[in-house]
Amino acid sequence: MKIEKTKLDDALIFTPEIHSDERGYFLETFRLSTFRKIHSNSINFVQDNQSFSSYGILRGLHFQKKFPQGKLIRVTQGEVFDVAVDLRKDSHTFLKWDSVTLSETNKKQFWIPPGFAHGFLVLSKNANLEYKCTDYYHSEDEECLIWNDRDINIEWPIDNEDIVLSSKDKSGNSLKYILDN
């Protein structure tokens, strides 16, 4: 598996080795021993999630404060613009963001450590996104950083008028509010 660093401390892109022939292909999506060489033994995945969305759907930027989740994200159908924002106050990349295009074609995976906000925008007609989490989802602990916060200034790849948001994501908090609370 090829492992690339991103602009964010500890966030990585994994590209699997694909074995193809006339029957199709085979690839390994996760190997604990490889992951443990890069990260401490304290990282354990406890929950897998799946999300299906249509073109223009933007989900995020979500995070949990008391129970931060690390996420290993991949797309099994379609294509998404996947974003991480570093909210770890002791990080060299605090308040920086980075993105990667994940697709069924490139088969890349994005490792987002605990302490980041995460969101994605669907670029294809439909997309199926799957991810492993290092902690359980706690609805009472979830926060939402507004997707178009000017202090973060994410460069989303489609026009704002084409972006579709849930009511929760429309009412996300500003970075200033999150930092002050």
Side-chain angles (χ1 to χ4, degrees), residues 5-63:
K5 292 185 177 186
T6 67
K7 295 186 292 187
L8 304 173
D9 288 346
D10 306 317
L12 300 169
I13 299 168
F14 292 85
T15 304
E17 185 177 332
I18 302 168
H19 306 277
S20 299
D21 63 23
E22 66 280 352
R23 300 169 296 160
Y25 68 86
F26 171 84
L27 63 94
E28 207 171 74
T29 60
F30 178 74
R31 178 183 284 256
L32 183 60
S33 61
T34 301
F35 202 80
R36 290 273 167 90
K37 287 178 187 175
I38 299 161
H39 294 285
S40 72
N41 288 336
S42 64
I43 299 288
N44 292 306
F45 293 110
V46 298
Q47 181 176 320
D48 282 7
N49 298 324
Q50 181 175 339
S51 172
F52 179 81
S53 305
S54 301
Y55 176 79
I57 300 289
L58 190 153
R59 296 182 186 266
L61 301 159
H62 302 147
F63 64 100

Side-chain angles (χ1 to χ4, degrees), residues 5 40 43 60 74 79 82 94 96 123 135 158 162 175:
K5 292 185 177 186
S40 72
I43 299 288
R74 68 189 187 110
E79 181 176 71
D82 205 82
F94 179 54
K96 303 287 186 214
L123 302 176
D135 204 338
I158 67 173
D162 292 332
L175 178 63

Side-chain angles (χ1 to χ4, degrees), residues 83-94:
V83 176
V85 179
D86 192 346
L87 298 178
R88 303 169 303 165
K89 292 182 180 176
D90 60 344
S91 171
H92 291 99
T93 56
F94 179 54

Side-chain angles (χ1 to χ4, degrees), residues 64-89:
Q64 293 186 165
K65 285 182 124 174
K66 294 177 190 165
F67 305 100
Q69 294 177 304
K71 297 176 180 177
L72 182 60
I73 302 155
R74 68 189 187 110
V75 168
T76 59
Q77 176 196 357
E79 181 176 71
V80 306
F81 179 77
D82 205 82
V83 176
V85 179
D86 192 346
L87 298 178
R88 303 169 303 165
K89 292 182 180 176

